[in-house]
Structure formats: structure tokens, C-alpha cells
């Protein structure tokens, strides 16, 4: 795995770099390691505390986590723990759906350790179908706010693409748009 460690408002010393790479090396067992796997860590320092953002890029899927903590090294530990949790969830989902073939090119499925405690299986608890009506982004935001939801799925009236408008944690709104058009 290739590492790319950068700092914002902080100089990444050799000690910080070594510690981050050492802790991230725990993730190596989950991936088929080659030059295609890139791990990017961004360390930010604030007047009180630090934030660590870790993104692991593979061909089939990207994994990302973000952790804030008063201590930089604790934030790194928590971020790696969070990524391992994502991997365990993925393993459970792959076991149930038998999607090993599609993700198997990037994930070293055989290296997952058996969990000591039985994890709760994820379950779809509600299914809903909706008719997408063409609308503007502003109208989608208005409808989302009226429903008091954190996201809203809509059909963009300008280019007939499916989009999702969502409320960002740090304020404001975000939009995810499909790259392919409806046929």
C-alpha cells in the first residue's frame, strides 16, 4: 500500500508519519496489496484538538473515515478502528450477498479474522419506491426541508439525471449527481 500523509496547520514530523504508517499497516491484511492501493491521510491541527481523515482508494471501492479528538495519536487510533469496523461490516455484507467475486479483486477476503462476538446482521427494515419528478435543486432542497429529512432523491429538470441533495454536518447542502443519464 502506498501512503500519502499530509498536514494542514501542522508539520508532519517523521515520528507522526511513522506512527500513522505503523497503525495503518494493520489494514494491509484486508487488501490485495499492489501499487493500485493508495492510502491518503490528512492530519489537521486546531487550537484545541486534531482531526484525522483517512481514505483508502482501491479499484472497486473507496473507504473513508474522519475522526476528531483532543489528541492526534488517539484520533489516528480511532480512525483505524473505524476503518476496521467498516471492513467487518463489509465482510458480513459480502457473506450474506455472496458478492466476493466483484470485490475480491481489491479485498483480501480470506484474511478477515473470525470475530469473537457475534455481530448483528444488517437488515433492511424498510423499503420504499418513489416516482421521481423533474425539479430544480432549489425545489429539492425545499421539499427535503419540508419533510425534515437529511437527504432527498430527485430527477434534475435540466439534464434528466438522478440526484441526491443532502444536509451537510458542517452546514449547507451537498448534491450527488449520477454521471449517466436515464434512457
Amino acid at each position: 500500500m502506498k501512503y500519502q500523509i499530509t498536514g494542514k496547520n501542522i508539520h508532519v514530523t517523521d515520528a507522526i508519519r511513522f506512527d500513522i504508517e505503523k497503525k495503518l499497516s494493520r489494514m494491509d491484511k484486508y487488501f490485495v496489496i499492489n501499487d493500485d492501493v493508495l492510502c491518503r491521510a490528512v492530519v489537521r491541527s486546531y487550537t484545541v484538538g486534531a482531526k484525522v481523515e483517512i481514505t483508502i482508494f482501491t479499484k472497486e471501492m473507496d473507504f473513508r473515515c474522519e475522526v476528531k479528538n483532543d489528541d492526534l495519536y488517539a484520533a489516528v487510533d480511532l480512525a483505524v478502528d473505524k476503518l476496521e469496523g467498516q471492513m467487518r461490516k463489509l465482510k458480513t455484507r459480502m457473506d450474506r450477498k455472496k458478492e466476493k467475486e466483484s470485490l475480491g479483486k481489491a479485498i483480501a477476503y480470506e484474511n478477515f479474522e473470525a470475530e469473537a462476538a457475534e455481530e448483528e446482521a444488517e437488515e433492511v427494515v424498510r423499503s420504499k419506491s418513489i416516482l421521481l419528478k423533474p425539479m430544480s435543486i432549489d425545489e429539492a432542497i425545499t421539499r427535503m426541508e419540508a419533510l425534515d429529512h437529511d437527504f432527498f432523491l430527485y430527477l434534475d429538470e435540466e439534464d434528466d439525471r438522478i440526484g441526491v441533495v443532502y444536509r451537510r454536518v458542517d452546514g449547507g447542502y451537498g448534491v450527488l449527481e449520477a454521471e449517466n443519464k436515464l434512457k
Side-chain angles (χ1 to χ4, degrees):
M1 186 178 316
K2 292 190 288 187
Y3 297 102
Q4 182 182 50
I5 301 170
T6 58
K8 305 279 183 173
N9 301 331
I10 187 173
H11 173 69
V12 179
T13 64
D14 289 338
I16 293 172
R17 182 177 309 279
F18 175 77
D19 190 64
I20 291 173
E21 287 180 6
K22 179 182 172 191
K23 290 177 181 176
L24 284 172
S25 68
R26 290 182 6 207
M27 298 299 298
D28 286 350
K29 65 184 173 190
Y30 296 115
F31 298 98
V32 175
I33 302 300
N34 56 31
D35 289 339
D36 294 338
V37 179
L38 170 68
C39 179
R40 180 182 303 145
V42 178
V43 180
R44 296 176 193 267
S45 176
Y46 299 105
T47 52
V48 176
K51 180 167 84 171
V52 175
E53 300 171 28
I54 299 174
T55 309
I56 298 174
F57 301 96
T58 67
K59 260 186 182 174
E60 279 69 28
M61 179 180 258
D62 297 337
F63 299 90
R64 183 178 187 286
C65 72
E66 183 176 309
V67 175
K68 286 184 180 180
N69 197 303
D70 291 340
D71 180 37
L72 172 66
Y73 295 101
V76 172
D77 286 338
L78 291 170
V80 172
D81 290 346
K82 201 172 189 181
L83 283 170
E84 285 184 323
Q86 289 177 5
M87 296 306 293
R88 283 192 298 274
K89 264 189 186 177
L90 176 65
K91 177 190 181 300
T92 303
R93 181 168 285 151
M94 286 169 48
D95 281 344
R96 276 187 288 134
K97 294 187 178 182
K98 304 299 181 205
E99 293 177 347
K100 296 178 195 175
E101 294 81 27
S102 62
L103 289 173
K105 297 172 190 161
I107 308 300
Y109 183 76
E110 66 277 0
N111 291 339
F112 282 97
E113 296 176 8
E115 294 300 313
E118 184 69 31
E119 292 186 30
E120 280 188 39
E122 293 177 18
E123 179 180 327
V124 176
V125 293
R126 184 172 181 215
S127 178
K128 185 176 181 179
S129 65
I130 58 173
L131 176 65
L132 297 179
K133 296 180 181 177
M135 64 181 70
S136 68
I137 292 174
D138 291 332
E139 185 179 351
I141 291 172
T142 303
R143 289 176 181 238
M144 177 185 71
E145 292 295 339
L147 293 170
D148 195 30
H149 284 178
D150 293 327
F151 67 93
F152 188 80
L153 185 68
Y154 70 101
L155 182 64
D156 195 318
E157 66 185 4
E158 292 178 9
D159 55 11
D160 287 333
R161 293 185 181 175
I162 295 175
V164 176
V165 64
Y166 61 95
R167 187 178 298 122
R168 293 180 49 90
V169 175
D170 59 353
Y173 301 100
V175 177
L176 300 172
E177 293 180 326
E179 289 185 9
N180 49 334
K181 290 186 178 185
L182 292 177
K183 294 180 181 179

